[in-house]
Amino acid sequence: MRVKFWGTRGSIPTPGKDTTRYGGNTPCVEIRLNDNNLIICDAGTGIRALGDALMATGESVKGYLAITHPHWDHIQGFPFFKPAFISGNEFTIIGAQSRSVTLRQMIAYQMDKVYFPIQLNELKAKINFRVIREETIPVFNATLTSIFVNHPSFAMGYRITSGGRSIVYISDNEPFDREVARSLKNVDTKIVAKYLAVKGDPNQRVFDFAHGADILIHDTTYTPEEYVNHVGWGHSHYLFSLKVADEARVKKLVLFHHDQTHNDEKIDEIQRKCTNEIRTRRYHFECVAASEGMEIEC
Ligand SMILES: [Zn+2]
Ligand SMILES: [Zn+2]
């Protein structure tokens, strides 16, 4: 399989001269199966350029779009995804939904007339919705497995397996701490209750989910120092990303969902610190910070 990063930034786009190398677009990752079939993870602003690249081929497109959750940074590029405007194209949007908002509404509401000139039902491509919970479903000749991770309201992680290789995409996930979860006031109490009800350690669930992956793309928003002031915001620091990669015995870790305040030099520094940690702790995986345009294979 091949992976290409079209958006690597968390929370909000960060264009500008300080972010040219790692990029300022919000999450969008293109996965190509070995038969070239297309699975897209998230529709952040990076999906606009992916759409232009797909249009440039002149061919019709059929693909899956797996949305982790409907926070703006993961859906806001969709109305600018040109292939969705072209008849003959077909996309199946995969994701979870909450009791109050369906998966379709999560995409459609941002295109309501109040916010956007074109409505979802005006798009010319065929758009299907596949609501999932924690399960495994077939996508082309691959399988896609999902897990609820620790993030306000909800977020899913995905594992795509094909031909004995696996890519795990966990864009937004916070280290889980039972005591912290109980004490948090700004977190959806239902989600805390859900985690407290889960048998065993919710972090262990993530380790098990990612076990043996060839590529793990994981939320690395903060440094450990920054995390102290952002407990309950739903994101990880790099020491936790390294721990997930080690516990899961993955082959390669990709640091993802870079913080909006981190310029290229800061991400270089985080990458260096991770490389040092890997050497010191004798971890057995490689680590790279996701940058826009980066391609990797497994
Ligand atoms: Zn996010
Ligand atoms: Zn989020």
Side-chain angles (χ1 to χ4, degrees), residues 69 71 73-74 151-152 155 172 235 257:
H69 65 308
H71 282 165
D73 51 324
H74 299 261
H151 196 64
D172 297 46
H235 299 293
H257 203 277

Side-chain angles (χ1 to χ4, degrees), residues 42-172:
D42 277 331
T45 60
I47 202 171
R48 186 192 61 81
L50 167 57
D52 291 349
L54 293 171
M55 295 291 289
T57 67
E59 292 167 15
S60 63
V61 194
K62 189 177 177 194
Y64 286 88
L65 169 57
I67 301 283
T68 53
H69 65 308
H71 282 165
W72 286 344
D73 51 324
H74 299 261
I75 60 167
Q76 70 195 136
F78 185 76
F80 301 90
F81 182 54
K82 282 202 195 103
F85 289 74
I86 307 297
S87 67
N89 290 343
E90 181 175 347
F91 296 96
T92 299
I93 299 179
I94 298 172
Q97 62 187 18
S98 73
R99 229 170 267 160
S100 52
V101 188
T102 67
L103 175 62
R104 188 178 204 286
Q105 288 169 334
M106 285 170 191
I107 301 297
Y109 282 0
Q110 67 168 339
M111 299 175 76
D112 183 273
K113 283 190 188 68
V114 175
Y115 305 105
F116 199 72
I118 311 296
Q119 272 62 71
L120 181 66
N121 60 14
E122 294 178 65
L123 297 180
K124 298 279 196 307
K126 187 164 193 283
I127 311 283
N128 313 306
F129 290 89
R130 174 76 195 260
V131 178
I132 55 167
R133 296 189 64 75
E134 292 194 344
E135 57 192 289
T136 297
I137 61 169
V139 283
F140 300 117
N141 70 358
T143 60
L144 177 142
T145 307
S146 48
I147 183 177
F148 283 109
V149 292
N150 187 31
H151 196 64
S153 188
F154 75 86
M156 302 222 97
Y158 293 114
R159 180 176 183 129
I160 291 151
T161 302
S162 175
R165 299 289 160 94
S166 285
I167 297 165
V168 173
Y169 176 75
I170 299 178
S171 66
D172 297 46

